[in-house]
């Protein structure tokens, strides 16, 4: 069975709404403000990792029938399990879930309450709501998610148009790191959205939605997954470019901002006043709450499958960890997530590229995956004074992408060895 054009567009918009979360809203304004005159170089790099990779991830998952286990199979059973755990924990209690609470507070609650409600109290209330909804799924969450997402998307579209039509200022200021390497900094900051990791989880929802509409042929499922991901990608490109532009022209509004939430909130207050701030507070808080419920439920569900622990207990534990981490504040959450995401992203990028192929033997894929994983950790987490000199000499090391050439080289070597052995065995 084939889908109607209207159904494909609906699925594309649904996919777009899935991706538009806390990270997608807060990072572009801040990067735009820092990039200044080099805005479009930073935007180009960001779009590669913030849009291109997630689109490819959905396509790769469609090639594997929506199975994350199948996608990670080339890494081997143990390493594949480790990578899957990393994916869920990063999206859940370590980075994704805490960010939903801190973004809600920074953009909406703190300005609307003039700081009367502390982050500690708000995060406790926020994650109590997350636990209650995750333990007792109700139509309320479905209704809020169904109607709130379109409202959020429409508001972002309007905000983007307004940012281009009436920028806060024409003064552009470029920070030193965006003077030297704007393109590569944009690429690395694209990791922070975590959309490549999220795509691996969202792909299951997307492919299930396609199947529920009567599509059973794998080729058609892949085709519709490609189209829906491209529609979502175009939507993300629009949102990102408009928010980048908004941030680049808002330096005087928040010259001392330490995160994008402050930049966005300052622009809203400047352009729409207190009523706009309150309205934004309600929309962002509810949207982030729905996202927090989804991330906590997904992570608890996965851990329940592999650990066989009680689902409700896992929800409470995960929400508790998320609450504790969120209390350090949005700026600090971002600060410690940068090296962690820079470390774990390389093997997932390699997995996505491998997943685009139909067949990926473990003996060829495992070594380059391991190389990307190890080098990502060394370059991002190991202190500079403890990093071996030969690692620092790798191409693109200064751009935080020193893993690329060794990974490609290892793939070529393992492929050549495997090919030679296969020819010798056939003689």
């Amino acid at each position: 069975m084939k889908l109607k054009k209207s159904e494909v567009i609906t699925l594309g918009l649904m996919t777009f709404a899935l991706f538009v979360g806390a990270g997608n809203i807060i990072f572009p304004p801040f990067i735009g403000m820092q990039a200044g005159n080099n805005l479009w170089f930073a935007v180009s790099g960001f779009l590669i990792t913030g849009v291109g990779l997630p689109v490819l991830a959905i396509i790769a998952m469609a090639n594997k029938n929506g199975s994350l286990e199948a996608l990670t199979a080339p890494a081997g059973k143990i390493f594949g399990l480790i990578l899957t755990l990393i994916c869920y924990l990063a999206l859940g209690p370590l980075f994704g879930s805490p960010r939903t609470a801190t973004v809600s507070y920074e953009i909406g609650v703190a300005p609307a309450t003039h700081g009367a409600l502390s982050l500690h109290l708000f995060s406790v209330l926020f994650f109590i709501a997350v636990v209650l909804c995750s333990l007792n799924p109700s139509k309320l969450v479905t209704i809020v998610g169904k109607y709130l997402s379109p409202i959020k998307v429409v508001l972002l579209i309007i905000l983007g148009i307004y940012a281009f039509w009436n920028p806060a200022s024409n003064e552009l200021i470029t920070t030193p790191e965006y003077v030297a390497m704007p393109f590569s900094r944009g690429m690395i900051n694209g990791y922070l959205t975590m959309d490549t990791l999220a795509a691996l989880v969202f792909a299951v929802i997307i492919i299930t939605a396609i199947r529920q509409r009567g599509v059973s042929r794998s080729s058609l499922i892949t085709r519709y997954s490609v189209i829906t991901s491209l529609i979502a990608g175009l939507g993300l490109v629009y949102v990102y470019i408009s928010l980048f532009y908004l941030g680049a022209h808002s330096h005087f509004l928040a010259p001392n901002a330490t995160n994008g939430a402050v930049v966005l909130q300052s622009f809203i207050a400047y352009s729409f006043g207190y009523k706009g701030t309150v309205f934004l507070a309600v929309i962002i808080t509810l949207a982030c709450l729905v996202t927090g419920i989804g991330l906590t439920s997904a992570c608890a569900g996965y851990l329940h499958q592999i650990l066989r622990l009680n689902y409700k207990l896992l929800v409470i534990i995960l929400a508790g960890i998320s609450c504790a981490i969120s209390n350090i504040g949005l700026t600090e959450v971002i600060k410690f997530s940068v090296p962690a995401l820079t470390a774990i992203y390389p093997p997932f990028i390699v997995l996505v590229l491998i997943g685009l192929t139909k067949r990926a033997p473990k003996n060829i894929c495992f070594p380059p995956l391991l190389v990307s994983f190890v080098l990502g950790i060394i370059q991002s987490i190991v202190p500079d004074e403890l990093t071996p000199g030969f690692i620092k000499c790798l191409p693109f090391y200064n751009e935080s992408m020193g893993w690329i050439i060794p990974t490609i080289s290892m793939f070529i070597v393992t492929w050549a060895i495997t090919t030679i052995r296969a020819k010798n065995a056939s003689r």
Side-chain angles (χ1 to χ4, degrees), residues 206-272:
I206 297 162
I207 292 167
T208 300
I210 293 172
R211 285 174 175 157
Q212 287 175 344
R213 285 164 171 77
V215 180
S216 56
R217 283 172 51 191
S218 59
S219 59
L220 283 178
I221 291 174
T222 301
R223 176 186 173 188
Y224 291 132
S225 297
V226 171
I227 296 172
T228 54
S229 63
L230 289 175
I231 293 172
L234 289 173
L236 288 173
V237 167
Y238 169 80
V239 169
Y240 287 150
I241 289 177
S242 59
L243 290 178
F244 266 100
Y245 191 84
L246 179 156
H249 292 266
S250 299
H251 190 275
F252 89 98
L253 295 177
N256 299 315
T258 55
N259 61 68
V262 175
V263 179
L264 182 58
Q265 192 280 323
S266 299
F267 181 85
I268 295 295
Y270 171 80
S271 302
F272 304 104

Side-chain angles (χ1 to χ4, degrees), residues 4-15 213 228 231:
K4 298 177 182 177
K5 288 184 179 179
S6 59
E7 291 179 306
V8 175
I9 293 172
T10 300
L11 287 171
L13 295 176
M14 179 198 78
T15 305
R213 285 164 171 77
T228 54
I231 293 172

Side-chain angles (χ1 to χ4, degrees), residues 79 343 346-347 350 365-379 391 394 402-411 414:
F79 191 30
V350 176
C365 298
F366 176 75
L369 276 168
L370 188 60
V371 167
S372 67
F373 184 65
V374 172
L375 288 179
I377 291 175
I378 292 174
Q379 181 159 358
I391 297 291
L394 291 172
W403 58 274
I404 292 179
I405 299 301
T407 300
I408 294 173
S409 301
M410 180 57 72
F411 180 83
T414 53

